[in-house]
């Protein structure tokens, strides 16, 4: 009897060809698994296509709720943004997919798992590190990395085997979509000097054509999680979908990132992430009101670390778990409402409030009702400046660079 292999199946050209290729090359029975993380698709048709192409079994898993609860929301609470730009949509979906693929492989008594990634990207790393962490006994096969076919040859292979060529093959771009965003790569976008053409974008209107009147929205957070839009309670999936539409309509969430891939390549990545952009902005605005200066400073470092962990495929590491625990603890008082103005490609914070706000009008005001006792300020400054004053007297004032204490830039030797 042929061994079974579970294939992460998207319905696209490569993974369809992979069904046939795995049968021919490895003589394995393919179980196609398609995971719905909010990539709008006709999943019935995808499943049928897998069966028509020769899979012995094809399943579609709706993983949207798991994705929001265990991946998107924790990343939002952490403010995870890779290199300050990419909200990590694709990167967050891969460990979830790895987990679901492993579950099915075990259930089906399969010997291996296959994915459609090439050898040049991050996704191969995320899939394989995840699968290895959860079930090291499973073999992993990456057909598109192994077969060495060009795009043309892949299309020929599909034609020869009667595999229908998806219309998306005519698209000049390579795409990956989920609830948290849309990644657009390849074609003309590979030239970092070329502005992305309008046809690269489908979730966001061009800011030029966005409505001429701004719209205001209010997002309510409970312990760092978004729970309402304009006062109306919503589940996480609907909330993200609604914000993708609304902010996308106003041209918000286009990202153009020269990104450092884990495998060492710089690549030009275009993203559309309207909901992620607005939610990350609103969440940080509320944290600014409810976390102390020290918490904010420390949490910024954690955010960078979390983003790298997610990007680099280390979701199932203990460090990720440890940091997640810290992040949740930090969100205890991140409750309140943020008001945003959406207008022609930009969202701006128009207001924020929280029952646990640390902002005190009595302390901040320059008007009546000032509670800040200014008489303590000079004593504070005297002590705060003590080490600088001491060192300046003893050392800096005597140095050849003079009292500015800084070597003038023209004196620094260049290379
Ligand atoms: N550069 C992004 C990342 O590594 C997006 C990758 C998109 N994936 C894809 N298979 N097209 O997360």
């Amino acid at each position: 009897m042929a061994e079974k292999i579970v294939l992460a199946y998207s319905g696209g050209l490569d993974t369809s060809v992979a069904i046939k290729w795995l049968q021919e090359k490895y003589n394995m029975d393919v179980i196609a698994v398609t995971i719905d993380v909010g990539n709008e698709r006709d999943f019935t048709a995808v499943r049928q296509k897998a069966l028509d192409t020769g899979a012995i079994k094809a399943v579609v898993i709706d993983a949207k709720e798991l994705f929001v609860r265990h991946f998107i929301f924790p990343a939002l609470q952490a403010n995870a943004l890779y290199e300050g730009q990419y909200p990590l949509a694709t990167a967050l979906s891969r460990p979830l997919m790895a987990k679901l693929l492993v579950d099915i492989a075990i259930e089906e008594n399969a010997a291996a798992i296959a994915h459609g990634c090439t050898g040049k990207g991050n996704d191969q790393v995320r899939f394989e590190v995840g699968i290895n962490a959860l079930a090291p006994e499973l073999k992993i096969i990456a057909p598109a990395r192994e077969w060495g076919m060009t795009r043309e040859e892949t299309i020929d292979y599909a034609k020869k085997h009667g595999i229908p060529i998806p219309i998306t093959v005519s698209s000049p771009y390579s795409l990956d979509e989920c609830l948290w965003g849309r990644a657009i790569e390849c074609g003309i976008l590979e030239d970092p000097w070329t502005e992305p053409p309008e046809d690269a974008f489908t979730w966001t209107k061009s800011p030029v054509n966005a409505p001429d009147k701004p719209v205001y929205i209010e997002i309510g957070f409970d312990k760092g999680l978004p729970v309402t839009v304009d006062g109306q309670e919503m589940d996480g999936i609907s909330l993200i979908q609604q914000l993708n539409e609304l902010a996308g309509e106003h041209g918000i969430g286009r990202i153009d990132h020269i990104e450092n891939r884990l495998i060492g390549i710089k690549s030009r990545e275009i993203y559309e992430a309207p909901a992620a952009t607005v939610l990350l902005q609103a969440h940080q605005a509320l944290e600014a009101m409810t976390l102390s200066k020290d918490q904010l400073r420390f949490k910024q470092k954690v955010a960078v670390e979390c983003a790298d962990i997610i990007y680099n495929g280390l979701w199932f590491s203990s460090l990720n778990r440890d940091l997640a625990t810290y992040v949740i603890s930090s969100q205890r008082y991140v409750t309140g409402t943020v008001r945003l103005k959406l207008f022609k490609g930009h969202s701006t914070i128009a207001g924020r409030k929280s029952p646990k706000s640390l902002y005190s009008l009595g302390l901040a005001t320059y008007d009546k009702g000032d509670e800040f006792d200014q008489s303590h300020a000079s004593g504070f400054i005297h002590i705060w400046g003590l080490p600088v004053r001491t060192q300046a007297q003893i050392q800096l004032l005597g140095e050849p660079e003079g009292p500015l204490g800084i070597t003038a830039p023209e004196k620094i030797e260049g290379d």
Side-chain angles (χ1 to χ4, degrees):
M1 219 178 77
E3 276 188 323
K4 287 194 262 185
I5 184 163
V6 170
L7 167 69
Y9 183 68
S10 70
L13 178 67
D14 282 351
T15 51
S16 297
V17 165
I19 295 179
K20 270 270 148 30
W21 187 87
L22 285 165
Q23 288 168 342
E24 278 196 336
K25 169 105 202 256
Y26 285 95
N27 187 30
M28 288 178 124
D29 283 341
V30 177
I31 299 169
V33 176
T34 305
I35 296 164
D36 175 5
V37 280
N39 32 345
E40 280 155 39
R41 274 251 161 97
D42 179 354
F43 287 104
T44 322
V46 172
R47 184 177 172 274
Q48 193 52 50
K49 186 173 171 187
L51 294 171
D52 294 346
T53 311
I56 58 155
K57 188 169 177 177
V59 282
V60 174
I61 304 171
D62 180 353
K64 293 195 287 292
E65 209 174 305
L66 285 174
F67 188 39
V68 171
R69 191 172 140 85
H70 295 286
F71 295 84
I72 293 182
F73 276 179
L76 170 63
Q77 289 180 309
N79 301 318
L81 209 52
Y82 183 63
E83 296 182 334
Q85 296 201 64
Y86 165 42
L88 295 159
T90 302
L92 283 164
S93 71
R94 296 315 188 222
L96 171 57
M97 291 178 176
K99 165 83 172 92
L100 296 171
L101 292 167
V102 164
D103 287 351
I104 294 190
I106 291 170
E107 215 177 279
E108 295 284 345
N109 215 356
I113 292 180
H115 61 72
C117 306
T118 69
K120 292 183 70 172
N122 301 306
D123 286 332
Q124 53 173 345
V125 181
R126 299 168 184 149
F127 273 123
E128 294 182 30
V129 172
I131 293 164
N132 275 319
L134 301 171
E137 70 281 8
L138 289 171
K139 280 196 294 261
I140 299 176
I141 300 177
R145 196 169 63 192
E146 244 182 67
W147 64 39
M149 290 191 275
T150 63
R151 193 146 182 85
E152 298 308 305
E153 288 163 354
T154 317
I155 293 172
D156 282 349
Y157 184 101
K159 283 187 185 148
K160 215 169 74 205
H161 290 82
I163 301 165
I165 318 276
I167 4 166
T168 48
V169 164
S170 61
S171 156
Y173 309 114
S174 152
L175 305 170
D176 188 70
E177 291 180 0
C178 69
L179 276 173
W180 205 227
R182 180 169 182 267
I184 313 123
E185 304 169 299
C186 299
I188 185 81
L189 304 176
E190 288 177 355
D191 176 2
W193 179 248
T194 300
E195 186 178 5
E198 262 321 298
D199 73 356
F201 300 106
T202 59
W203 286 17
T204 55
K205 255 202 181 146
S206 163
V208 177
N209 302 322
D212 289 318
K213 264 179 61 173
V215 70
Y216 288 85
I217 53 166
E218 289 184 9
I219 303 176
F221 286 85
D222 180 31
K223 297 193 173 70
L225 293 180
V227 286
T228 61
V229 173
D230 290 334
Q232 216 188 326
E233 258 179 59
M234 292 177 99
D235 66 90
I237 301 171
S238 317
L239 186 138
I240 292 168
Q241 283 169 338
Q242 173 167 337
L243 290 177
N244 271 331
E245 293 213 351
L246 189 61
E249 173 70 17
H250 286 269
I252 292 158
R254 294 184 174 189
I255 297 160
D256 182 340
H257 184 186
I258 300 295
E259 181 173 299
N260 290 292
R261 289 192 186 164
L262 177 61
I263 41 121
I265 299 174
K266 276 192 195 292
S267 71
R268 199 275 189 96
E269 306 279 322
I270 303 298
Y271 299 105
E272 292 181 280
T277 300
V278 165
L279 284 169
L280 284 160
Q281 189 183 14
H283 178 253
Q284 287 172 76
L286 191 59
E287 284 192 332
M289 294 288 274
T290 50
L291 299 187
S292 72
K293 176 179 168 181
D294 291 337
Q295 283 178 300
L296 286 165
R297 298 281 188 287
F298 185 75
K299 199 159 172 296
Q300 277 175 1
K301 298 183 205 174
V302 172
V304 172
E305 194 61 42
C306 288
D308 283 346
I309 286 172
I310 296 164
Y311 190 84
N312 294 333
L314 303 175
W315 182 268
F316 297 104
S317 64
S318 291
L319 180 58
N320 189 40
R321 182 167 285 215
D322 296 343
L323 294 179
T325 307
Y326 163 73
V327 169
I328 288 177
S329 167
S330 75
Q331 302 295 291
R332 308 196 292 292
Y333 300 112
V334 186
T335 294
T337 305
V338 178
R339 195 157 175 265
L340 295 114
K341 176 178 169 175
L342 311 184
F343 186 52
K344 287 213 173 282
H346 293 283
S347 59
T348 32
I349 304 293
R352 59 296 252 173
K353 62 180 179 185
S354 165
K356 294 288 183 191
S357 172
L358 301 174
Y359 177 90
S360 158
L361 187 62
L363 292 176
T365 186
Y366 286 96
D367 290 338
K368 273 201 315 287
D370 186 356
E371 293 160 9
F372 186 86
D373 183 349
Q374 301 192 24
S375 69
H376 293 303
S378 76
F380 166 75
I381 296 163
H382 186 79
I383 292 176
W384 175 249
L386 176 65
V388 179
R389 196 164 66 236
T390 307
Q391 190 163 32
Q393 297 305 308
I394 297 170
Q395 299 175 348
L396 295 186
L397 295 182
E399 284 180 359
E401 291 87 356
L404 293 181
I406 298 166
T407 307
E410 68 270 18
K411 290 201 186 145
I412 295 175
E413 270 172 40
D415 48 12

